[in-house]
Amino acid sequence: MPSVLLIRPLCEGDEPEFAEPLGIERLAGYLRAYGVGDVRVYDRRLYQAEWRSGIADEFTGGLFDDLRKAYPPGRAPALVGLSLMTSADVPDARRIMSRLGRWWPQATFMAGGVYVTGAPEEAARVLPRGVVLQRGEGEAQLLALARATGATGAEAPPFVSPDDWAIPHRPYPERYAALGCAVNVQASRGCPGACTFCATPLLPTQLRRWQPRDLRLVVDEMQQVAERLAAAGLPPIFNFVDDDFGPLFRLEGLADELGRRRLRVAFACEMRLVSLIGQPALAERLARLREAGLTRVFFGVESLDPATLERWKKPYDVSALPQVLEAFRTAGITVQPGYILWHAGQTVRGARAEVEGLRRLGIYSHRAALSRLIVFPGCALAHGSIDATGFQSMDAQAEAFCRRFSAKTGDLTRMWTQAAIAEPYAVAEAFLTGDGTRLATLRDALDEANERSFALFMEMSA
């Protein structure tokens, strides 16, 4: 029986938001379900996060120390897979492959993830020769590779639907929870949207088409992890990482299943704004969802300019946004709106008007003031003008303003980011414990940062 090793590398530069690597955990669970008994998952970023937090010290071993212990002389994994989210993961992935390739010259190395799926030609160019590239979600391909190295077990289907996913193999969820990370859960695949700034609409049909997972299976997974966290004295806090969790009635179905099992958890998700606009009795339905544990929802506002939304193929009725926001406030559910202020069609004057509009709606944030359109490989905008850092190119005046504003708010950005990263977990903790002291402190810091940011933006754009 071969051994399979799955690794998430470090991200080059700063990584503002740390979370568990659900992709390789889910792949590991699938391999184990189909007879590959020795599957190990390692996250290089976890070691880094524990050192930064003070949980680990200079005497604590790192990834390579642990790999030496896991694979003593005479033992080696047959397959080593690395998950790459963006091109920023490539430098460390190369370092890992180089070092482990010297240790285990007979091992097969592969790379997958969003970066490889969206930019396979670029990945082939920058990664070492001989590395097997795996596009898509990968369960069937990875299992086939493992079988080629000697694995045995039941046959797997060539394409794996969400209901056929296995429960992820999470070796150490307690370590992530101790760092204030929610447990990531995926409950669907794909997205019905066609946003031109997103890579999903141009994926193969089977990957881009929205497909939900049976909610009973989703709650099976949540219950398993919640019981494990409870045994360690840690709160059951979950975050759904789907591009789109689905329509409102699907969230209500999740709440019903949690209620049937008397499972008290806190959870957050991402939805499409068009799934919320025009929903009858929205505030009352959201209030019931909050009672079931829904504490936070992300949805992409992206722009208050209808012409920009039309160019991006993101249609929604901007005039309906105030009613949706008020429904969430009434229900007591935190909203995190996505916004892209700076892009090729933006001017300083236009940005100022949008910032004022965000302020009137009560959703202005320092993050929104800095947000720029990132052109991800594989999206419809990838053939346009892109600067050296991967942002969509802008005219000289807009670019100069962005640079000045960013330079003047460096300390403010660090303060805001630190509080914003901690807030979602604090919201969930306050719901579960009834103690909102930490949350109030974080929100005071965010409010102060947003006030200072708005005042400076108005001053500089006058």
Side-chain angles (χ1 to χ4, degrees):
M1 181 67 69
S3 176
V4 178
L5 169 63
L6 302 176
I7 302 172
R8 180 170 68 168
L10 293 175
C11 176
E12 193 84 348
D14 291 333
E15 183 187 28
E17 196 164 0
F18 172 69
E20 67 170 315
L22 178 60
I24 56 175
E25 290 176 339
R26 208 183 73 207
L27 290 172
Y30 189 81
L31 292 178
R32 287 162 63 92
Y34 278 88
V36 184
D38 187 4
V39 184
R40 300 166 191 258
V41 173
Y42 288 91
D43 181 8
R44 198 127 127 93
R45 300 180 198 182
L46 177 59
Y47 294 93
Q48 183 182 68
E50 289 179 332
W51 286 329
R52 288 177 173 173
S53 71
I55 292 175
D57 57 28
E58 67 269 23
F59 301 106
T60 306
L63 170 68
F64 296 109
D65 299 304
D66 283 354
L67 290 179
R68 281 296 197 195
K69 295 173 185 174
Y71 300 99
R75 292 194 59 206
L79 177 61
V80 181
L82 282 84
S83 176
L84 281 66
M85 182 72 177
T86 70
S87 59
D89 299 341
V90 170
D92 194 52
R94 290 178 59 90
R95 287 190 289 268
I96 292 171
M97 290 177 180
S98 175
R99 187 165 182 176
L100 298 187
R102 293 194 298 271
W103 288 8
W104 307 316
Q106 302 306 315
T108 297
F109 285 82
M110 58 145 297
V114 174
Y115 172 66
V116 174
T117 298
E121 296 83 6
E122 180 181 324
R125 187 174 64 254
V126 299
L127 291 173
R129 292 184 62 185
V131 173
V132 178
L133 299 183
Q134 177 181 294
R135 295 188 71 193
E137 297 198 322
E139 290 91 347
Q141 300 109 300
L142 188 56
L143 181 59
L145 267 178
R147 291 192 190 289
T149 62
T152 59
E155 288 298 321
F159 178 76
V160 183
S161 72
D163 282 351
D164 294 324
W165 293 340
I167 289 180
H169 171 54
R170 294 181 168 94
Y172 22 71
E174 301 87 354
R175 291 171 66 183
Y176 290 98
L179 289 163
C181 296
V183 177
N184 283 339
V185 183
Q186 187 170 0
S188 66
R189 164 194 280 138
C191 178
C195 304
T196 57
F197 51 75
C198 178
T200 299
L202 296 184
L203 288 175
T205 302
Q206 289 176 316
L207 294 176
R208 72 172 181 267
R209 180 167 58 89
W210 187 77
Q211 299 176 72
R213 182 164 168 79
D214 188 313
L215 289 173
R216 292 168 297 181
L217 298 175
V218 173
V219 180
D220 283 346
E221 179 180 337
M222 296 174 72
Q223 185 167 4
Q224 182 188 86
V225 183
E227 290 171 355
R228 184 167 171 180
L229 291 175
L234 294 164
I237 297 173
F238 295 87
N239 177 51
F240 287 97
V241 299
D242 312 84
D243 288 340
D244 175 23
F245 187 87
L248 192 60
F249 67 78
R250 179 165 160 80
L251 265 180
E252 292 169 329
L254 176 71
D256 290 342
E257 186 64 27
L258 291 170
R260 276 192 289 272
R261 304 193 195 191
R262 298 185 179 180
L263 191 58
R264 180 169 168 76
V265 300
F267 61 96
C269 72
E270 179 172 342
M271 300 182 71
R272 299 175 72 222
L273 189 51
V274 292
S275 299
L276 296 163
I277 291 174
Q279 287 294 314
L282 181 59
E284 293 83 354
R285 295 166 72 184
L286 289 174
R288 288 193 293 272
L289 287 169
R290 187 182 186 280
E291 291 174 6
L294 179 62
T295 57
R296 177 174 165 270
V297 172
F298 173 95
F299 54 72
V301 173
E302 312 308 5
S303 179
L304 297 180
D305 177 38
T308 300
L309 293 171
E310 184 176 357
R311 284 198 305 274
W312 290 344
K313 294 186 178 179
K314 187 177 177 63
Y316 75 87
D317 181 3
V318 175
S319 68
L321 184 57
Q323 290 80 16
V324 172
L325 294 172
E326 183 57 31
F328 275 91
R329 292 187 186 109
T330 301
I333 296 174
T334 300
V335 168
Q336 182 188 338
Y339 206 82
I340 306 171
L341 182 63
W342 298 103
H343 49 85
Q346 188 62 283
T347 63
V348 175
R349 182 178 178 181
R352 179 187 174 94
E354 289 181 39
V355 161
E356 290 175 323
L358 291 172
R359 169 73 169 226
R360 286 192 298 271
L361 289 167
I363 56 173
Y364 174 80
S365 72
H366 184 55
R367 173 185 282 175
L370 292 171
S371 60
R372 289 190 60 172
L373 179 56
I374 302 172
V375 183
F376 288 102
C379 76
L381 298 178
H383 303 294
S385 180
I386 308 169
D387 71 15
T389 56
F391 294 117
Q392 190 176 54
S393 299
M394 301 189 295
D395 69 45
Q397 186 180 28
E399 183 70 47
F401 181 90
C402 261
R403 292 183 183 278
R404 290 199 312 274
F405 185 76
S406 179
K408 285 195 172 186
T409 57
D411 290 340
L412 187 63
T413 300
R414 284 185 285 274
M415 181 181 87
W416 186 93
T417 302
Q418 184 177 11
I421 289 173
E423 187 203 24
Y425 200 86
V427 171
E429 278 186 317
F431 168 78
L432 291 171
T433 65
D435 183 358
T437 305
R438 178 168 175 262
L439 175 60
T441 301
L442 290 170
R443 285 186 166 165
D444 285 346
L446 288 170
D447 288 344
E448 179 188 346
N450 290 335
E451 288 294 325
R452 289 169 54 191
S453 172
F454 178 79
L456 183 59
F457 197 102
M458 290 295 102
E459 176 187 326
M460 292 180 62
S461 61

